Amino acid sequence: MDRELILKLIEAVSASPVSEFEYTSAGEHILIKKELRVPSQAAAHPAEAPQVKVQPVQSVEVNIAPEPSESTQDEGKIVKAPLVGVFYSSPAPDSPVFVELGQKVKRGDVLCIIEAMKVMNEIESEYDGVVLEIKAKNGELVEFGQPIIVIG
Protein backbone atom coordinates (compact mmCIF):
# COMPACT_ATOMS: atom_id res chain seq x y z
CA MET A 1 0.00 0.00 0.00
CA ASP A 2 1.53 3.31 -0.96
CA ARG A 3 2.08 6.28 1.31
CA GLU A 4 -0.34 8.55 -0.60
CA LEU A 5 -3.25 6.16 -0.10
CA ILE A 6 -2.50 5.84 3.62
CA LEU A 7 -2.40 9.62 4.05
CA LYS A 8 -5.72 9.91 2.19
CA LEU A 9 -7.24 7.27 4.49
CA ILE A 10 -6.00 9.14 7.57
CA GLU A 11 -7.48 12.40 6.25
CA ALA A 12 -10.79 10.68 5.43
CA VAL A 13 -11.07 9.16 8.91
CA SER A 14 -10.08 12.47 10.54
CA ALA A 15 -12.78 14.35 8.62
CA SER A 16 -15.53 11.79 9.19
CA PRO A 17 -17.57 10.79 12.26
CA VAL A 18 -15.98 7.32 12.06
CA SER A 19 -13.72 6.74 15.05
CA GLU A 20 -11.90 3.62 13.84
CA PHE A 21 -10.96 2.15 10.45
CA GLU A 22 -9.28 -1.23 9.94
CA TYR A 23 -8.13 -2.80 6.67
CA THR A 24 -6.31 -6.09 6.02
CA SER A 25 -5.34 -7.43 2.61
CA ALA A 26 -2.49 -9.47 1.15
CA GLY A 27 -0.41 -9.41 4.32
CA GLU A 28 -0.88 -5.69 4.97
CA HIS A 29 -2.79 -4.43 8.00
CA ILE A 30 -3.81 -0.84 8.70
CA LEU A 31 -5.60 0.35 11.82
CA ILE A 32 -6.51 4.03 12.16
CA LYS A 33 -8.15 5.19 15.41
CA LYS A 34 -9.20 8.61 16.55
CA GLU A 35 -10.95 10.21 19.47
CA LEU A 36 -13.43 12.95 18.71
CA ARG A 37 -12.13 16.44 19.43
CA VAL A 38 -13.83 19.19 21.31
CA PRO A 39 -13.53 22.30 19.08
CA SER A 40 -10.92 24.72 20.36
CA GLN A 41 -10.26 28.29 19.29
CA ALA A 42 -6.58 27.78 20.09
CA ALA A 43 -6.12 25.52 17.05
CA ALA A 44 -5.44 28.15 14.40
CA HIS A 45 -3.46 25.87 12.10
CA PRO A 46 -4.58 22.31 11.31
CA ALA A 47 -2.08 19.62 12.22
CA GLU A 48 -0.13 18.03 9.43
CA ALA A 49 -0.90 14.40 8.66
CA PRO A 50 1.34 12.01 10.61
CA GLN A 51 4.17 10.32 8.76
CA VAL A 52 3.38 6.63 8.33
CA LYS A 53 5.58 3.82 6.99
CA VAL A 54 3.95 0.61 5.80
CA GLN A 55 5.74 -2.65 5.25
CA PRO A 56 4.11 -5.98 4.43
CA VAL A 57 2.76 -7.88 7.47
CA GLN A 58 3.19 -4.87 9.75
CA SER A 59 0.47 -3.16 11.73
CA VAL A 60 0.18 0.60 11.65
CA GLU A 61 -1.76 2.34 14.41
CA VAL A 62 -2.49 6.04 14.33
CA ASN A 63 -4.13 7.72 17.33
CA ILE A 64 -5.47 11.24 17.01
CA ALA A 65 -5.74 12.53 20.58
CA PRO A 66 -8.28 15.13 21.63
CA GLU A 67 -7.26 18.50 22.99
CA PRO A 68 -8.21 19.03 26.62
CA SER A 69 -11.31 21.12 27.12
CA GLU A 70 -10.41 24.23 29.07
CA SER A 71 -13.87 24.82 30.56
CA THR A 72 -14.49 21.30 31.89
CA GLN A 73 -11.01 19.85 32.34
CA ASP A 74 -11.14 19.67 36.17
CA GLU A 75 -14.69 20.83 36.82
CA GLY A 76 -16.76 17.68 36.40
CA LYS A 77 -17.52 14.40 34.74
CA ILE A 78 -18.52 14.58 31.09
CA VAL A 79 -21.47 12.60 29.76
CA LYS A 80 -20.81 11.87 26.09
CA ALA A 81 -23.28 10.98 23.36
CA PRO A 82 -23.28 7.18 23.00
CA LEU A 83 -24.59 7.43 19.43
CA VAL A 84 -25.14 9.85 16.56
CA GLY A 85 -28.58 11.46 16.58
CA VAL A 86 -30.73 14.44 17.48
CA PHE A 87 -30.49 15.69 21.08
CA TYR A 88 -33.75 16.40 22.92
CA SER A 89 -33.84 17.90 26.42
CA SER A 90 -37.46 16.85 27.10
CA PRO A 91 -39.69 13.89 26.24
CA ALA A 92 -42.06 16.08 24.19
CA PRO A 93 -42.05 19.71 22.97
CA ASP A 94 -44.64 20.76 25.58
CA SER A 95 -43.07 18.74 28.45
CA PRO A 96 -40.59 20.02 31.03
CA VAL A 97 -36.89 19.29 30.46
CA PHE A 98 -35.29 16.21 32.02
CA VAL A 99 -32.53 18.23 33.78
CA GLU A 100 -31.63 21.87 34.34
CA LEU A 101 -28.42 23.62 35.36
CA GLY A 102 -27.79 23.18 39.08
CA GLN A 103 -30.13 20.20 39.38
CA LYS A 104 -28.96 17.23 41.45
CA VAL A 105 -28.95 13.92 39.55
CA LYS A 106 -28.30 10.34 40.56
CA ARG A 107 -26.81 7.52 38.57
CA GLY A 108 -29.59 6.13 36.33
CA ASP A 109 -31.60 9.38 36.08
CA VAL A 110 -32.65 10.23 32.51
CA LEU A 111 -30.70 13.28 31.29
CA CYS A 112 -31.98 13.59 27.73
CA ILE A 113 -33.12 11.68 24.65
CA ILE A 114 -31.11 11.08 21.49
CA GLU A 115 -33.21 10.17 18.46
CA ALA A 116 -31.48 7.89 15.99
CA MET A 117 -33.27 6.25 13.05
CA LYS A 118 -36.72 7.14 14.48
CA VAL A 119 -35.87 5.48 17.81
CA MET A 120 -35.90 7.59 20.99
CA ASN A 121 -32.95 6.55 23.19
CA GLU A 122 -33.05 7.72 26.81
CA ILE A 123 -29.57 8.72 27.98
CA GLU A 124 -29.10 8.01 31.69
CA SER A 125 -26.60 9.59 34.05
CA GLU A 126 -23.50 7.56 34.75
CA TYR A 127 -22.72 9.73 37.78
CA ASP A 128 -24.20 11.21 40.94
CA GLY A 129 -23.81 14.97 41.19
CA VAL A 130 -25.05 18.36 40.01
CA VAL A 131 -25.59 19.40 36.38
CA LEU A 132 -22.85 21.99 35.74
CA GLU A 133 -23.28 22.47 32.00
CA ILE A 134 -25.54 21.33 29.17
CA LYS A 135 -23.35 21.46 26.09
CA ALA A 136 -25.87 20.28 23.46
CA LYS A 137 -28.84 22.34 22.31
CA ASN A 138 -32.36 21.00 21.94
CA GLY A 139 -32.94 19.69 18.40
CA GLU A 140 -29.21 19.75 17.60
CA LEU A 141 -27.42 16.84 15.89
CA VAL A 142 -24.81 15.30 18.17
CA GLU A 143 -21.94 13.04 17.15
CA PHE A 144 -20.79 9.83 18.83
CA GLY A 145 -18.53 10.72 21.76
CA GLN A 146 -19.49 14.40 21.74
CA PRO A 147 -19.74 15.90 25.25
CA ILE A 148 -23.41 16.69 25.95
CA ILE A 149 -23.69 17.26 29.72
CA VAL A 150 -21.19 17.98 32.50
CA ILE A 151 -21.92 16.69 36.00
CA GLY A 152 -19.89 17.79 39.03
Side-chain angles (χ1 to χ4, degrees), residues 38-114:
V38 175
S40 170
Q41 294 177 351
H45 301 289
E48 293 183 27
Q51 299 295 320
V52 180
K53 268 188 178 177
V54 176
Q55 297 175 354
V57 194
Q58 177 182 1
S59 295
V60 176
E61 187 171 324
V62 178
N63 287 315
I64 302 172
E67 296 176 9
S69 170
E70 296 166 8
S71 65
T72 59
Q73 190 171 11
D74 294 325
E75 296 177 11
K77 298 174 180 108
I78 299 173
V79 177
K80 296 180 181 180
L83 67 161
V84 176
V86 179
F87 175 91
Y88 292 109
S89 57
S90 62
D94 56 342
S95 298
V97 295
F98 289 109
V99 294
E100 296 177 336
L101 291 178
Q103 180 178 338
K104 289 185 180 182
V105 294
K106 295 182 289 184
R107 184 183 180 113
D109 287 351
V110 176
L111 301 173
C112 63
I113 291 175
I114 296 180

Side-chain angles (χ1 to χ4, degrees), residues 3-152:
R3 183 176 186 273
E4 288 286 320
L5 179 58
I6 293 170
L7 291 175
K8 286 181 182 179
L9 287 171
I10 292 170
E11 288 175 20
V13 170
S14 295
S16 76
V18 173
S19 62
E20 184 173 314
F21 173 80
E22 188 169 4
Y23 174 80
T24 304
S25 176
E28 295 178 325
H29 178 82
I30 294 179
L31 175 63
I32 301 171
K33 291 183 181 181
K34 74 171 183 180
E35 294 179 22
L36 297 178
R37 295 177 184 224
V38 175
S40 170
Q41 294 177 351
H45 301 289
E48 293 183 27
Q51 299 295 320
V52 180
K53 268 188 178 177
V54 176
Q55 297 175 354
V57 194
Q58 177 182 1
S59 295
V60 176
E61 187 171 324
V62 178
N63 287 315
I64 302 172
E67 296 176 9
S69 170
E70 296 166 8
S71 65
T72 59
Q73 190 171 11
D74 294 325
E75 296 177 11
K77 298 174 180 108
I78 299 173
V79 177
K80 296 180 181 180
L83 67 161
V84 176
V86 179
F87 175 91
Y88 292 109
S89 57
S90 62
D94 56 342
S95 298
V97 295
F98 289 109
V99 294
E100 296 177 336
L101 291 178
Q103 180 178 338
K104 289 185 180 182
V105 294
K106 295 182 289 184
R107 184 183 180 113
D109 287 351
V110 176
L111 301 173
C112 63
I113 291 175
I114 296 180
E115 177 187 6
M117 296 175 29
K118 306 283 185 200
V119 175
M120 300 297 181
N121 301 281
E122 290 185 344
I123 308 305
E124 297 178 351
S125 177
E126 303 167 22
Y127 315 105
D128 293 336
V130 176
V131 177
L132 298 177
E133 186 176 359
I134 300 173
K135 294 181 154 289
K137 292 185 173 80
N138 195 45
E140 173 182 81
L141 180 67
V142 292
E143 298 291 332
F144 172 79
Q146 175 181 335
I148 53 175
I149 295 177
V150 180
I151 298 175

